[in-house]
Amino acid sequence: MKMAVIGAGIVGLATGAGFADLGHTVQCVDIDTSKIAQLSRGIIPYYEPGLEALVLRNTAAGRLSFGHDPAKVLLEAELVFIAVGTPTGDTGEMSLAALWSAIDRLEAWPQSDVRRIVAIKSTVPVGTSERVESRLRGRLPEHCLVDIVSIPEFMREGSSVRDFFEPSRIVIGTSSADVAEKLTQLHQRLPGPILATDRRSAELAKLAANACLAVKISFANEIAALAEQTGADYPSVAHSLGLDPRIGPHFLAAGLGFGGSCLPKDTRALVRLADEVGAPQTLVEAAVRANAMLPLRMVRKLEAAISDPRRRKVAILGLSFKPGTDDIREAPALRLIAELTRRHPGITLTAYDPEAGAAARKVLPSSVTVCDSAEEALKDADAAILATEWREFRHIPADDFKKWMNRPIIMDGRNALDAAALNAQGVVCIGVGRLPVLPKEFIRRAGELVPKI
Ligand SMILES: NC(=O)c1ccc[n+]([C@@H]2O[C@H](COP(=O)([O-])OP(=O)(O)OC[C@H]3O[C@@H](n4cnc5c(N)ncnc54)[C@H](O)[C@@H]3O)[C@@H](O)[C@H]2O)c1
């Protein structure tokens, strides 16, 4: 099949390269000309495991190409995926500006008798596919046959390539049985279950999935806070919860909460939509509020470990919203840094992330030193906060923490480290939802943790 993907971001690129790998001819179109120039030279503009090899293999085979003018692509494409961003707009609602601009460029579609499909992968409010249909119908020549389909994307950043080839499910929202059949055949080589439904249900299925994950994460974090106050150990509680087949083990980890380019904006969009139609989502609203409190909770824990933070140096380990990506959009680490500097002006902050340093340098205040290694960030620090659970951080030996830091005090905001092993070797490691076990080398004096000398 000849396909076009409009929007060569994380979703569009993995989708385009994935379908090219399955043997289709795909052109990815993006208005960002520098991104297209990079991609045409084989440079992937962001870090995503496996994507570079997939893109290079398929461009070399002539199945995948890049451009910024949709007119040429549309001459041939039978199927056009729309994968543009749908961020939160200035007034809190989901902005569909990129979607409308992409749709309006489809007016260049040549007149022909070929029936074409526009499949919306972007996450959108319920009813958007229908709005797209009426907008296009009003503008395209009458005999241009176009079906508008909602085919929401469930891939995760950091594993978008794997998720393309092993999707949890493929949801096809359409009012046409023929189109459902055609798209079912197209996806048949992928192992996930295929669910054909109507467009509104497909759109809501995506928003509901992200809202459900957000609720689960906030639930985990609130139970973790309760564990801290009652002397229970949240990881043990989560383990037990996860063994219940009605609950399942995923998304029960406590930490600094959810962030990224999807969960925060999609929960906001769901709440906004629900208010507009009179079906308030109080649970999701509460999950969003609970999530917003987590950076402050972490700062308070830091305040209980070191006195007068504004005179101290604190290292932030991890800046991306999760490991496996360099995406820092709405990253908890950035909210944490904002909270630290708001409560403790003058605090010395260093930060390190294996992939997101360059992106973070562009947005962080100049007072935060973004370092090129964990060692550099931790050098002479009075405490560190692990904000993203990159594998690299799990392998830092206790001796290195002790050698590099002024005081080896780690607030493990993701329960990623082996706290018991670190504590046994003289490093204070305070996780989330668990009582800190102090190493014998440390005592609590005048409201802070200090080495026993
Ligand atoms: N990132 C994820 O993990 C993920 C997962 C599932 C769903 N989604 C949804 O998929 C959509 C895309 O997400 P993303 O993370 O890939 O976004 P992104 O911001 O990484 O990429 C969007 C791309 O669209 C381009 N673009 C904007 N307007 C355009 C236009 N008029 N014509 C052509 N290109 C245009 C931008 O230049 C950008 O390169 C969003 O709605 C998002 O919510 C994202």
Side-chain angles (χ1 to χ4, degrees):
M1 202 185 232
K2 291 206 162 83
M3 300 178 184
V5 179
I6 304 203
I10 290 157
V11 168
L13 201 50
T15 302
F19 277 116
D21 212 52
L22 295 177
H24 302 284
T25 306
V26 186
Q27 183 163 48
C28 293
V29 181
D30 203 292
I31 41 165
D32 184 339
T33 46
S34 66
K35 192 179 264 186
I36 290 299
Q38 279 184 312
L39 286 167
S40 302
R41 293 201 312 274
I43 301 164
I44 312 298
Y46 34 76
Y47 174 73
E48 193 62 29
L51 189 58
E52 185 175 356
L54 188 72
V55 167
L56 294 180
R57 180 163 75 236
N58 285 285
T59 43
R63 291 187 296 265
L64 180 64
S65 58
F66 303 98
H68 50 81
D69 180 8
K72 271 193 253 156
V73 185
L74 296 176
L75 276 175
E76 298 192 320
E78 292 165 69
L79 171 59
V80 178
F81 285 110
I82 307 287
V84 298
T86 48
T88 302
D90 295 339
T91 50
E93 85 301 349
M94 190 176 259
S95 166
L96 298 183
L99 177 85
W100 294 127
S101 111
I103 293 298
D104 288 347
R105 293 174 98 195
L106 296 181
E107 285 175 31
W109 226 326
Q111 302 190 3
S112 95
D113 295 335
V114 179
R115 191 165 178 166
R116 301 163 197 270
I117 298 171
V118 173
I120 300 173
K121 276 213 165 270
S122 301
T123 305
V124 291
V126 181
T128 302
S129 304
E130 287 168 20
R131 289 174 63 202
V132 167
E133 180 169 86
S134 34
R135 181 141 161 169
L136 263 183
R137 285 260 156 82
R139 294 175 183 214
L140 284 173
E142 216 170 88
H143 55 285
C144 251
L145 304 169
V146 181
D147 286 291
I148 311 297
V149 179
S150 165
I151 186 155
E153 183 51 65
F154 296 95
M155 64 178 49
R156 297 157 298 172
E157 268 176 57
S159 59
S160 64
V161 171
R162 201 178 64 207
D163 291 347
F164 175 84
F165 289 106
E166 294 168 29
S168 56
R169 72 282 210 195
I170 294 144
V171 177
I172 301 170
T174 171
S175 48
S176 154
D178 288 353
V179 172
E181 177 56 28
K182 199 167 185 177
L183 289 176
T184 300
Q185 274 175 20
L186 177 73
H187 289 90
Q188 216 123 45
R189 284 180 59 196
L190 300 172
I194 300 175
L195 172 69
T197 182
D198 63 277
R199 293 183 290 199
R200 285 176 174 251
S201 303
E203 289 164 341
L204 184 55
K206 172 63 194 179
L207 291 175
N210 278 356
C212 188
L213 296 173
V215 168
K216 225 174 160 188
I217 294 169
S218 284
F219 174 79
N221 280 313
E222 295 216 316
I223 296 292
L226 185 58
E228 272 174 30
Q229 296 307 316
T230 53
D233 181 58
Y234 179 71
S236 306
V237 175
H239 189 195
S240 160
L241 279 173
L243 290 172
D244 186 327
R246 297 166 301 176
I247 297 172
H250 304 293
F251 276 72
L252 286 179
L256 279 165
F258 59 82
S261 67
C262 290
L263 260 56
K265 72 147 171 98
D266 292 349
T267 45
R268 281 194 290 268
L270 185 92
V271 167
R272 174 63 74 104
L273 174 74
D275 283 345
E276 277 167 16
V277 299
Q281 298 295 305
T282 51
L283 205 54
V284 182
E285 280 177 47
V288 171
R289 271 204 310 279
N291 194 57
M293 283 156 47
L294 295 172
L296 176 60
R297 192 182 296 162
M298 176 54 81
V299 174
R300 290 211 170 115
K301 280 163 83 168
L302 179 77
E303 290 163 358
I306 57 171
S307 65
D308 201 3
R310 69 184 67 197
R311 288 193 299 107
R312 308 299 183 126
K313 177 173 175 179
V314 175
I316 308 296
L317 296 179
L319 294 163
S320 59
F321 84 93
K322 66 174 188 179
T325 176
D326 58 1
D327 196 341
I328 53 164
R329 287 177 280 183
E330 303 211 32
L334 302 194
R335 285 190 273 125
L336 174 69
I337 288 171
E339 194 63 49
L340 277 166
T341 43
R342 186 183 70 80
R343 278 175 74 86
H344 302 291
I347 187 171
T348 304
L349 289 178
T350 56
Y352 165 68
D353 187 284
E355 296 294 337
R361 276 190 190 98
K362 292 184 195 151
V363 299
L364 284 175
S366 55
S367 56
V368 182
T369 308
V370 180
C371 303
D372 293 324
S373 68
E375 176 177 353
E376 192 189 335
L378 290 166
K379 193 94 192 100
D380 301 326
D382 297 294
I385 303 177
L386 190 151
T388 317
E389 64 276 37
W390 286 97
R391 192 187 297 264
E392 169 180 340
F393 302 144
R394 297 174 206 255
H395 297 301
I396 300 176
D399 281 346
D400 283 352
F401 282 124
K402 288 196 286 189
K403 189 167 66 193
W404 298 336
M405 298 177 73
N406 184 28
R407 272 185 216 173
I409 299 175
I410 319 291
M411 319 298 298
D412 181 359
R414 298 289 176 183
N415 286 341
L417 306 179
D418 184 342
L422 287 170
N423 285 333
Q425 294 172 81
V427 173
V428 179
C429 180
I430 301 173
V432 179
R434 45 197 347 184
L435 285 180
V437 182
L438 277 195
K440 59 181 180 342
E441 294 86 346
F442 272 77
I443 51 166
R444 188 172 278 285
R445 195 170 53 212
E448 68 171 346
L449 300 174
V450 290
K452 236 191 252 174
I453 313 171

